[in-house]
Amino acid sequence: MSAATSSRVDELPAQYREMVDSATERRLSSAPSASVVVVTYRTPREELEETFAALDDQTADDFEVIVVDNGVRFDLDELVERTERASALVRLDGNYGVTVARNVGAELADSDLLLFLDDDGVPDCDFVAAHRDAHDDGAVAVRGRVLPRTESLYNRLQTWYDLGDERVPFSLNIEGNTSVERAAFREVGGFEESLSGRAGHEGIELTYRLLTNGYDREGIVYDPRPVIYHDYATDVRSYLRKRVAGRRRRRLLARVRPEVSRLAKEYSKPSSSRSERARRDEFALLCLDAMVRLTLTLSSLRKKVNLPGGRV
C-alpha cells in the first residue's frame, strides 16, 4: 500500500479529514461490490490476524476492506498490507470512539453496500456473500448472527447474539455484524456520534432514524446467514464490566432518547432464538445479576457521598 497524497481522504468531510493523522491506500483490480469497515482499538495483534485472515478466506472476491486505526498499540501496516482485499488504512490522531471511526470508514467506502465488522470478530467464509444475498432479497439493513468463539458460561448466558434460523424484522442491535445500503446510511446521517462512549445503542438509534425517514420495517432485518464468531466475555470480570456498562447505557438512553428506548422494547426474540438455558446457567445468571445490581448500587452511593473507588 502507498501513502495517500491525493486520495479518498481528501474527499472526506472537513470534520473527519481533520482527524486523520495519516493514510495509505491500494487500488484493487476491480470495483468492489461491498465495503467492509473494521475499526481497531487496543486490539491484540493475534486477534486482528485472525479477523484479517478470515477476510482473506471469503468466498466472495470482489469486496474491499477499510481499516480505521483508532489506537492500536502496534504497527498495523504490515498486517494490512498482506490482507488481500484491504484498500485503505486510515490512522486517526486520537481515539474518537468506535462510532465516529465507523462513520469515517463509511465515508471512505467505494461501494454501495457498507458492512461493519468488529475487530475481534472472526467472519465466517460466507460473511460478505451472505450480507450481499440478504440485500439482494430486499433488505435495506441487516443484523447478522453471532456465534461464540469459545465455549464458556459467559457466552452461554448471552442469548441476544444468536436469534435463531428465521429471517425476521429486527433492530440493528449488534453493530459489529451489520450491513446497510450506503445511500440509506448517508441519507439519515450515519451512526449517531453523540452516543459514542456515552449511551451506546448506536445501531438501535440508526434503526429508529431509518424508520422515521420512511424505510419499511420489513426491510431492516435479522438474517441468520451472515455469521461472525465473537466472545461476549471469557471471564467473570469482563462479563460484569460489560453487563454494568450495558445497564448504564440503557438507563441513559431511556433518559436522553426515550423514543429510541421504546423502539428497542418493541422487538422480542424470535421463536427460533437460542434462548433456553440449563438450570445451572440460570442460577449462575441470578448470581451474576445480583453482582451487577450491587456494583451499580455501590457506584451510585460513591457518587452521592464522594467516596473513592473505581468501576468494575
Side-chain angles (χ1 to χ4, degrees), residues 146-160:
V146 182
L147 299 177
R149 294 176 65 172
T150 59
E151 172 61 28
S152 75
L153 166 67
Y154 312 105
N155 285 328
R156 292 199 305 272
L157 295 179
Q158 172 59 13
T159 60
W160 280 101

Side-chain angles (χ1 to χ4, degrees), residues 129-150:
H131 270 290
R132 283 203 317 231
D133 287 346
H135 286 268
D136 289 343
D137 291 341
V140 171
V142 175
R143 182 273 220 213
R145 182 190 298 213
V146 182
L147 299 177
R149 294 176 65 172
T150 59

Side-chain angles (χ1 to χ4, degrees), residues 26 28-34 36 52 55-58 60-66 80-88:
R26 174 168 58 199
L28 301 179
S29 58
S30 60
S33 66
V36 181
F52 290 155
L55 288 170
D56 277 342
D57 288 338
Q58 293 294 296
D61 61 1
D62 59 346
F63 66 97
E64 67 175 345
V65 178
I66 296 170
V80 175
E81 175 68 32
R82 56 186 169 88
T83 301
E84 183 180 353
R85 302 303 304 176
S87 65

Side-chain angles (χ1 to χ4, degrees), residues 128-312:
V128 173
H131 270 290
R132 283 203 317 231
D133 287 346
H135 286 268
D136 289 343
D137 291 341
V140 171
V142 175
R143 182 273 220 213
R145 182 190 298 213
V146 182
L147 299 177
R149 294 176 65 172
T150 59
E151 172 61 28
S152 75
L153 166 67
Y154 312 105
N155 285 328
R156 292 199 305 272
L157 295 179
Q158 172 59 13
T159 60
W160 280 101
Y161 275 7
D162 181 1
L163 296 183
D165 301 327
E166 299 176 13
R167 173 179 165 128
V168 294
F170 212 79
S171 70
L172 307 175
N173 67 334
I174 302 291
E175 296 89 350
N177 183 5
T178 287
S179 59
V180 189
E181 290 182 2
R182 184 175 65 170
F185 188 82
R186 289 184 171 179
E187 180 183 347
V188 301
F191 288 114
E192 175 52 64
E193 295 176 3
S194 67
L195 296 181
S196 183
R198 293 174 61 246
H201 300 294
E202 299 88 348
I204 296 172
E205 199 279 338
L206 178 62
T207 305
Y208 175 82
R209 278 184 292 118
L210 287 168
L211 293 173
T212 55
N213 277 269
Y215 288 94
D216 196 298
R217 186 178 290 248
E218 298 293 321
I220 305 170
V221 302
Y222 161 77
D223 193 301
R225 292 174 292 179
V227 173
I228 70 168
Y229 298 90
H230 179 273
D231 286 336
Y232 180 75
T234 55
D235 57 58
V236 65
R237 185 175 180 83
S238 62
Y239 178 86
L240 291 174
R241 184 184 296 116
K242 283 191 173 183
R243 288 293 303 275
V244 168
R247 193 76 61 89
R248 288 189 177 116
R249 287 195 295 267
R250 285 194 297 274
R251 289 178 178 176
L252 182 57
L253 187 69
R255 187 167 72 250
V256 302
R257 295 294 302 277
E259 70 282 10
V260 177
S261 184
R262 285 194 296 270
L263 174 68
K265 294 175 182 177
E266 291 178 12
Y267 293 95
S268 57
K269 296 176 187 175
S271 58
S272 62
S273 172
R274 307 290 191 266
S275 58
E276 294 184 2
R277 299 188 184 97
R279 183 173 297 179
R280 67 181 183 278
D281 288 351
E282 289 287 357
F283 178 73
L285 180 62
L286 288 173
C287 294
L288 290 166
D289 276 350
M291 294 173 70
V292 170
R293 290 193 296 271
L294 177 61
T295 299
L296 290 167
T297 300
L298 290 175
S299 177
S300 178
L301 287 172
R302 289 190 188 108
K303 288 181 181 179
K304 289 180 179 178
V305 300
N306 199 28
L307 289 175
R311 294 178 177 178
V312 170

Side-chain angles (χ1 to χ4, degrees), residues 20-39:
V20 176
D21 180 65
S22 62
T24 54
E25 291 186 14
R26 174 168 58 199
R27 184 176 295 279
L28 301 179
S29 58
S30 60
S33 66
S35 301
V36 181
V37 177
V38 180
V39 175

Side-chain angles (χ1 to χ4, degrees), residues 95-117:
N95 174 24
Y96 290 92
V98 66
T99 303
V100 172
R102 282 178 177 148
N103 282 345
V104 172
E107 286 290 334
L108 295 167
D110 203 24
S111 79
D112 293 330
L113 181 60
L114 305 173
L115 278 63
F116 298 98
L117 174 65

